[in-house]
Amino acid sequence: MVSGGNFPLTLRIAGRKVVVVGGGHVATRRTLSLLDAGADLVVVSPDVSASLASSIGRGDVEWIQRVYRTGDLEGAWLVQTATGDPDVDGQVADDAAAQSTWCLKGGDPDHATAWVPAVARIDDVTVAISGGGDAGRASSLRDGVAAALQSGDLPLRHRTHHPEGFVALVGGGPGDPGLLTTRGRRLLAEADVVVIDRLAPHGVLSELAPDVEVIDVGKMPDHHPIPQHEINEILIDRAKQGKIVVRLKGGDPYVFGRGGEELIACREAGIPVEVVPGVTSAIAVAAAAGIPVTHRGIARGFSVVTGHVELSDLPHDRAHTLVLLMGVRRLREVALQLVDSGHDRLTPVAIVESGCTPDQRVTVGTLDTIADRAGEVDAQPPAVTIVGDVVTLSPAWPQAD
Ligand SMILES: C[S@@+](CC[C@H](N)C(=O)[O-])C[C@H]1O[C@@H](n2cnc3c(N)ncnc32)[C@H](O)[C@@H]1O
């Protein structure tokens, strides 16, 4: 019976025989999750779904291609019946009971001897919710708990044990907290210390518990309040105190983010480190302005460089997109350098300031005009400059009538 007398249990099913009777959609889903758990699977059914057929074709599942017969359950630890025929399902359940095999009975929980909870696995945590026969309610609850775990909305601090300390270098994306990965959020929810950059999504700080130490090492352009070696020392020092340290960086840690240096410093100090990639402004800020960095027939590739480097070695082709980070205040020099090295002076250019934030502003021009346009609007960092024909795809580019 569904209510009363239930005993939640987890089975070690790997290598053990499980019989699935039926070949439709319930049988298919159950077969796939049992396969994932390593069960030794036998499907009994005259026909099977395309997805089951491919598992059978790969040799992952044995197929008895006929209707069920008493005796098919021999040696099974567990049976799932989901033929859609109440007489056959009833026979399977009776046969299972007669040989003391647990029986999952699709669509008929009242006559099953076992139920599968709604399950979500998030890293090392398994969430299993049993809805007492109401699979829909169990699934909704499972989804809610899983989402809260993934987003870090559930209190996870002090649950993960890193007695030796731990540093996570987390890419925070270009500014919108919605563009921080679920892994990044989860680690933030576990953090004892958050070391944050100027361009990381500061909005998430309000979600941290009051006792989380927040260290702002943000660098302003042309002004470096905390040198890199001191940032490395902070990470190592806090981790050595046994703390979970999240280094929250703007964009992706490895795209002009000095993530590699921090990784090496932690490793050399013997601190376990995890790198969580982020959504880089180089691609996301262009996208937010309606500019794909590649586009069939318009741009075949792209380069990401800083506006501070020697630009003459880059491909000088309007079909190769250049994404320039930093250096928006040097645009006149940059544009001149590109033209002098072979770029067409009419190549379209866009400057996207504060991309992916409510203050986003897009200014367009050509290599000839962009420095003047930037001066007219007083373009300010943080900004990404995109050079190439893809810029014409932006809604900000003047469209021919
Ligand atoms: C030191 S780099 C770090 C880049 C970062 N690691 C990434 O992957 O986006 C900083 C530069 O990224 C660009 N940037 C970062 N966030 C931005 C945003 N929201 N809007 C425009 N540019 C941004 C600017 O060019 C800024 O000067």
Side-chain angles (χ1 to χ4, degrees):
M1 288 296 106
V2 171
S3 54
N6 294 337
F7 183 69
L9 184 71
T10 298
L11 304 178
R12 193 179 299 280
I13 205 82
R16 305 215 150 99
K17 179 172 171 180
V18 178
V19 177
V20 174
V21 184
H25 125 96
V26 174
T28 303
R29 282 191 51 187
R30 189 49 46 78
T31 304
L32 294 178
S33 49
L34 284 162
L35 268 181
D36 200 38
D40 203 352
L41 269 158
V42 179
V43 170
V44 184
S45 178
D47 16 61
V48 292
S49 67
S51 159
L52 262 182
S54 52
S55 299
I56 292 161
R58 279 195 302 272
D60 296 342
V61 176
E62 180 188 338
W63 184 16
I64 300 180
Q65 191 177 3
R66 57 161 169 74
V67 292
Y68 172 78
R69 284 185 207 147
T70 294
D72 286 344
L73 307 185
E74 199 187 324
W77 291 65
L78 181 70
V79 58
Q80 162 81 59
T81 184
T83 64
D85 179 331
D87 292 339
V88 178
D89 286 342
Q91 183 63 53
V92 174
D94 289 348
D95 291 347
Q99 65 174 58
S100 305
T101 297
W102 299 108
C103 180
L104 303 155
K105 203 153 176 275
D108 185 16
D110 284 347
H111 297 102
T113 52
W115 302 267
V116 176
V119 173
R121 294 197 172 84
I122 297 108
D123 300 336
D124 54 342
V125 177
T126 299
V127 177
I129 293 181
S130 180
D134 184 342
R137 186 177 58 171
S139 302
S140 310
L141 268 170
R142 179 266 325 266
D143 292 346
V145 176
L149 268 174
Q150 275 170 334
S151 66
D153 285 347
L154 282 181
L156 292 167
R157 291 183 65 211
H158 314 302
R159 307 255 174 230
T160 320
H161 299 294
H162 286 287
E164 75 286 25
F166 170 71
V167 172
L169 304 178
V170 175
D176 175 354
L179 294 176
L180 176 59
T181 63
T182 49
R183 178 72 187 144
R185 276 193 172 265
R186 169 103 199 270
L187 285 161
L188 272 171
E190 293 179 19
D192 299 307
V193 182
V194 175
V195 182
I196 190 164
D197 266 353
R198 187 175 56 91
L199 291 179
H202 282 243
V204 296
L205 295 181
S206 60
E207 296 168 16
L208 300 175
D211 59 332
V212 174
E213 184 187 11
V214 176
I215 305 172
D216 189 344
V217 292
K219 301 180 182 106
M220 303 301 287
D222 311 321
H223 180 57
H224 295 255
I226 303 199
Q228 186 62 48
H229 71 88
E230 278 183 36
I231 297 175
N232 298 351
E233 280 162 20
I234 292 171
L235 301 179
I236 293 163
D237 170 70
R238 297 305 190 279
K240 280 192 168 162
Q241 293 174 26
K243 293 185 171 164
I244 297 182
V245 184
V246 168
R247 171 73 172 110
L248 187 59
K249 304 174 75 71
D252 182 273
Y254 285 172
V255 179
F256 301 120
R258 306 190 75 167
E261 292 165 52
E262 292 172 5
L263 176 80
I264 291 168
C266 289
R267 276 196 189 145
E268 284 178 354
I271 308 287
V273 197
E274 174 178 343
V275 180
V276 180
V279 173
T280 178
S281 64
I283 297 172
V285 167
I291 305 170
V293 290
T294 67
H295 191 83
R296 195 151 66 96
I298 298 186
R300 291 180 295 271
F302 66 101
S303 301
V304 180
V305 292
T306 75
H308 299 303
V309 295
E310 183 54 53
L311 300 167
S312 54
D313 294 340
L314 296 167
H316 296 287
D317 174 356
R318 292 169 57 144
H320 184 92
T321 308
L322 297 184
V323 182
L324 306 163
L325 301 190
M326 302 177 269
V328 67
R329 293 188 175 133
R330 290 186 60 246
L331 260 185
R332 194 170 299 280
E333 266 172 270
V334 166
L336 273 177
Q337 231 190 79
L338 286 173
V339 171
D340 284 351
S341 333
H343 249 85
D344 178 351
R345 59 180 62 247
L346 296 180
T347 306
V349 183
I351 305 165
V352 188
E353 296 161 80
S354 300
C356 307
T357 76
D359 299 327
Q360 173 172 307
R361 180 169 66 166
V362 186
T363 305
V364 295
T366 60
L367 279 176
D368 244 358
T369 62
I370 197 66
D372 289 341
R373 297 296 332 274
E376 284 159 23
V377 299
D378 190 23
Q380 295 293 325
V384 166
T385 304
I386 303 123
V387 180
D389 277 341
V390 281
V391 168
T392 60
L393 296 172
S394 171
W397 186 258
Q399 305 299 319
D401 292 327

